[in-house]
Amino acid sequence: MTFDPSTLTFDAAGLIPAIAQDDETGEVLMMAWMNAEAVEKTLATGRVTYWSRSRQSFWVKGETSGNIQELTELRLDCDRDCLLVKVRQTGPACHTGRRTCFYTAIKDGAEHEVVTL
Amino acid sequence: MTFDPSTLTFDAAGLIPAIAQDDETGEVLMMAWMNAEAVEKTLATGRVTYWSRSRQSFWVKGETSGNIQELTELRLDCDRDCLLVKVRQTGPACHTGRRTCFYTAIKDGAEHEVVTL
């Protein structure tokens, strides 16, 4: 079946969550949002492209920092309302300089930083 | 720092996306939503508990199907607006009977089922 991004289920703002996962290590790196055109751009260019809700513009990951995400596989879920993008990540995914945005774990009711810079 | 679920960043509906990942294999299993109380329940019980947007009620994953998710670690991201729940998954995570909800991959512009029943 030919894939048409417009057949995905978007929220009221026209966005769908996209989970980025390191294709080699399996580490979940970040979650951001795409609109239909960002999905198209990601597939067409092989460079993961999100929609920045704060800037209201396309966000080619790593365009300014160099920390690009090369798409290795795009998956959608059973409800067609969430994407999983498997990537080859150059440098850190997180703007803090950490490999992953998920560097804080809850242990015994407290926050602990478990991924260092 | 003591963790207080109310300090997370929730959307207009009071929800935060939660990505469930198999703690052993690293496989991303599903994405669903939690409110602050669901986060509390998940931490208190060790059973991953979402908020069902369709039913508008708590959804203790596996409560009826038996396909429970035991929490092994809860993480939050740098923006505090997304959760990663590492789990020990009993049975399939997807309601279709597949291990993961992300069983459809886009290859050469078409949809392919890459995880079978």
Side-chain angles (χ1 to χ4, degrees):
Chain A
M1 184 165 64
T2 304
F3 175 63
D4 176 359
S6 72
T7 64
L8 294 169
T9 299
F10 298 95
D11 69 10
L15 301 175
I16 186 169
I19 302 158
Q21 181 181 33
D22 188 302
D23 194 21
E24 278 177 31
T25 65
E27 188 173 28
V28 175
L29 301 172
M30 57 181 283
M31 196 283 276
W33 299 81
M34 293 187 183
N35 57 16
E37 205 177 335
V39 177
E40 276 170 26
K41 285 177 186 288
T42 296
L43 287 169
T45 64
R47 289 283 187 88
V48 180
T49 303
Y50 302 100
W51 178 257
S52 168
R53 297 180 300 173
S54 56
R55 294 194 304 268
Q56 288 288 302
S57 61
F58 290 107
W59 166 29
V60 182
K61 175 72 183 161
E63 199 173 37
T64 52
S65 66
N67 300 328
I68 62 166
Q69 292 180 337
E70 294 168 83
L71 182 73
T72 57
E73 189 174 73
L74 188 142
R75 290 202 190 179
L76 41 122
D77 78 347
C78 51
D79 293 332
R80 305 178 75 84
D81 65 359
C82 187
L83 300 175
L84 176 65
V85 289
K86 300 196 177 201
V87 305
R88 199 174 296 115
Q89 172 74 51
T90 298
C94 186
H95 73 286
T96 64
R98 294 173 183 84
R99 177 91 188 145
T100 171
C101 294
F102 296 96
Y103 56 81
T104 304
I106 310 304
K107 293 181 181 183
D108 301 323
E111 299 187 17
H112 295 270
E113 197 170 309
V114 292
V115 179
T116 49
L117 276 168
Chain B
M1 183 167 63
T2 303
F3 175 63
D4 176 358
S6 72
T7 64
L8 295 169
T9 299
F10 297 95
D11 69 10
L15 302 175
I16 186 170
I19 301 158
Q21 182 182 33
D22 187 303
D23 194 21
E24 278 177 30
T25 66
E27 188 172 29
V28 175
L29 301 172
M30 56 182 283
M31 195 282 276
W33 299 81
M34 293 186 183
N35 56 17
E37 205 176 337
V39 176
E40 277 170 25
K41 286 177 186 286
T42 296
L43 287 168
T45 64
R47 289 282 187 93
V48 180
T49 303
Y50 302 100
W51 177 259
S52 168
R53 296 180 300 171
S54 55
R55 295 194 302 268
Q56 288 288 304
S57 61
F58 291 107
W59 167 29
V60 183
K61 175 71 182 161
E63 197 173 36
T64 51
S65 66
N67 300 329
I68 61 167
Q69 291 180 337
E70 294 168 83
L71 182 74
T72 57
E73 189 175 72
L74 188 142
R75 291 202 189 179
L76 42 121
D77 77 348
C78 49
D79 293 332
R80 305 178 75 83
D81 65 359
C82 188
L83 300 174
L84 176 65
V85 288
K86 300 196 178 202
V87 304
R88 198 174 298 116
Q89 173 73 52
T90 297
C94 185
H95 73 287
T96 64
R98 294 174 184 82
R99 177 92 187 144
T100 170
C101 294
F102 296 95
Y103 56 82
T104 304
I106 310 304
K107 293 183 181 180
D108 301 324
E111 298 187 17
H112 294 271
E113 197 170 307
V114 291
V115 179
T116 49
L117 276 167

